[in-house]
Amino acid sequence: MSESRLLERFFRYVSCASESGNEKQFCELLESELKAVGMEIIRDEVGEKVGSNGWNIYACLPGEGEPILFSAHMDTVPNGIEIAPVVSGGIVRSAGETILAADDKSGIAPVVEALQIIKEENRTHRPVEVLFSVCEEVGLLGSKYADYSNVKSKQAIVLDNGRHGSVVNNSPAKLELHVKVTGRSAHAAVQPSKGVNAIKAAAAAIAKIPSGEVDDQTVMNVANFLSPGKSNVVPDKASFDLDMRSFDNDRLETHVENVKAALREACEEIGASFEVEIDRQAEILFVPPESELIARLGEVYGALGIEHKIERTYGGSDATWIFQNGIDVVNIGTGMADVHSSEEHISVADLETTLKIVLAMTE
């Protein structure tokens, strides 16, 4: 196992810009390296559907036994161009003000390195499948629209989490509500009584909509309140968004109805109207702690001396859509920290640990 080669690969990957929607160059780099280790590659052309110039990459390395799928996303958040990674004291950071892109290239690099080691050392292994997705950071879009007909695995590991030993087996359903309130415009000084103020109706509704941890299964957040216009005109348009996540579908639907009731009451009071568009972005993920996949991961962590914890999170990952396609999947940590910021970093030791975990899970 070559520490320097893994680190060089990670540097090569993070230096190849792949902000969401512009992943083409990184897709091409990964395809060339996967082909070099003998992988059978299929381009999953989801780009046009999700707004990307890239594509999902599916690849398979034949082996013996039950197959396993490894998945990570190729895209990064903005401020990911001209990344210059450096190592100091065993920690990798960006030399400038950019992100590092450990999210999620700290998942991709160890997987590709593991595949190369398997081939070079002629290791016995189970069939290994990989799915590298585009546009994860903008709504899990690559995995949502992926072609899962190629995937044979019934077990999968997503490498898109922070602390080593964190095993996420449960994540919530997620709704994005887009609300539009319509009133009636009028001159605010000359004919104010003829106007119906959309801002007033929207604000009255928002005041009755809870946010934060609204119960022990659900979080909600109001954002993007907009009503552009002139101050001397009664505003006839207002809009806002709601992020809603819950581990209980019944509670989620109840909260949706409560939002509509608050809007209905506020609009009826002043003669406005409203529309609610609902975008269901994720379904509930739950893999039982006693599952074969989690049990095997526990053995691997134990052999490496890593304390692991099975946990749920309100955050999303590609695991959501992999699970919806009949595959037991968990999201594990790679050691990345302070992601989505210029403080993002990862230790060389954590990269090596991820490589060891991947190799062990292919046995």
Side-chain angles (χ1 to χ4, degrees), residues 332-344:
I332 68 170
T334 67
M336 56 184 170
D338 292 333
V339 300
H340 296 189
S341 78
S342 60
E343 300 301 315
E344 185 179 11

Side-chain angles (χ1 to χ4, degrees), residues 60 84 163 166 221 225 227 256-257 262 272 296 338:
C60 178
R163 177 185 58 83
S166 172
N221 185 56
F225 192 111
S227 183
V256 169
E257 292 307 311
R296 174 58 185 149
D338 292 333

Side-chain angles (χ1 to χ4, degrees), residues 55-74:
W55 50 87
N56 292 340
I57 295 175
Y58 167 82
C60 178
L61 185 67
E64 298 296 327
E66 292 298 317
I68 186 167
L69 173 71
F70 293 97
S71 183
H73 63 88
M74 296 180 285

Side-chain angles (χ1 to χ4, degrees), residues 172-178 209-212 214 218-224 240-246 252 281 314:
K174 179 188 175 187
L175 303 183
E176 191 81 22
L177 275 63
H178 307 286
I209 296 172
S211 63
V214 301
T218 312
V219 294
M220 294 169 53
N221 185 56
V222 179
N224 303 325
F240 62 92
D241 298 328
L242 267 168
D243 183 304
M244 303 176 65
R245 309 179 192 216
S246 183
L252 197 60
Q281 296 185 343
Y314 279 105

Side-chain angles (χ1 to χ4, degrees), residues 269-340:
E269 184 173 342
I270 66 170
S273 61
F274 71 92
E275 300 175 25
V276 179
E277 177 185 329
I278 301 176
D279 179 13
R280 195 171 186 99
Q281 296 185 343
E283 301 293 341
I284 293 171
L285 158 67
F286 178 71
V287 176
E290 63 273 14
S291 69
E292 180 182 336
L293 172 62
I294 293 178
R296 174 58 185 149
L297 262 173
E299 293 172 356
V300 170
Y301 282 126
L304 293 173
I306 299 171
E307 182 178 350
H308 73 285
K309 182 179 181 181
I310 301 166
E311 51 196 359
R312 76 178 194 178
T313 177
Y314 279 105
S317 77
D318 284 343
T320 292
W321 293 108
I322 293 172
F323 181 73
Q324 292 306 311
N325 283 272
I327 302 168
D328 276 358
V329 58
V330 292
N331 183 11
I332 68 170
T334 67
M336 56 184 170
D338 292 333
V339 300
H340 296 189

Side-chain angles (χ1 to χ4, degrees), residues 105 205 241 268 310 359:
K105 294 173 184 180
D241 298 328
E268 286 178 352
I310 301 166
L359 284 170

